Amino acid sequence: QVQVVESGGGLVQPGGSLRLSCAASGRTFSSYAMSWYRQPPGKGRELVATISSFGRSTDYADSVKGRFTISRDNAKNTVYLQMNSLKPEDTAVYYCNLPSRSWPWGQGTQVTVSS
């Protein structure tokens, strides 16, 4: 049974940075493209970024382009999200999953951007 564990969230001031991690177990991690999602307070879950199985291609939501960078380390079964120039509207619980969203969801990691 696959399991994902997200970490790295916290409280940060506008303009600050955070690096999120998502560790996956129970599957051949390198076979899968991976995505980061977020769920702002009172809203639905939205796609933030996607990375191909070996990291050769990436894609981002318009709202985070130029500020967020997705990367992965297949040797560690981990995908990362480097978030720079954070804005209050980036406040959300962040999750990782397949682009198909077919794995069980983890608990997510809370990111709060506030002064």
Side-chain angles (χ1 to χ4, degrees):
Q1 179 70 15
V2 68
Q3 183 178 17
V4 295
V5 178
E6 301 93 349
S7 62
L11 173 64
V12 63
Q13 292 187 342
S17 298
L18 283 174
R19 188 194 194 203
L20 307 184
S21 299
C22 167
S25 63
R27 285 291 188 270
T28 306
F29 181 76
S30 62
S31 298
Y32 298 94
M34 292 294 297
S35 295
W36 279 98
Y37 301 83
R38 67 185 181 186
Q39 186 164 14
K43 297 184 179 180
R45 201 164 293 180
E46 61 188 27
L47 177 64
V48 175
T50 299
I51 187 167
S52 61
S53 58
F54 288 97
R56 293 191 181 101
S57 66
T58 57
D59 193 32
Y60 298 91
D62 288 343
S63 58
V64 307
K65 277 181 183 176
R67 300 189 299 121
F68 290 11
T69 302
I70 188 171
S71 62
R72 66 191 296 160
D73 185 340
N74 286 345
K76 297 182 179 179
N77 281 12
T78 301
V79 62
Y80 305 98
L81 187 68
Q82 177 67 44
M83 305 187 297
N84 299 328
S85 302
L86 282 161
K87 304 176 181 179
E89 51 264 42
D90 295 319
T91 295
V93 180
Y94 284 72
Y95 303 86
C96 65
N97 208 316
L98 302 181
S100 63
R101 308 189 182 198
S102 57
W103 281 358
W105 292 97
Q107 83 289 348
T109 186
Q110 175 71 50
V111 172
T112 303
V113 185
S114 175
S115 55

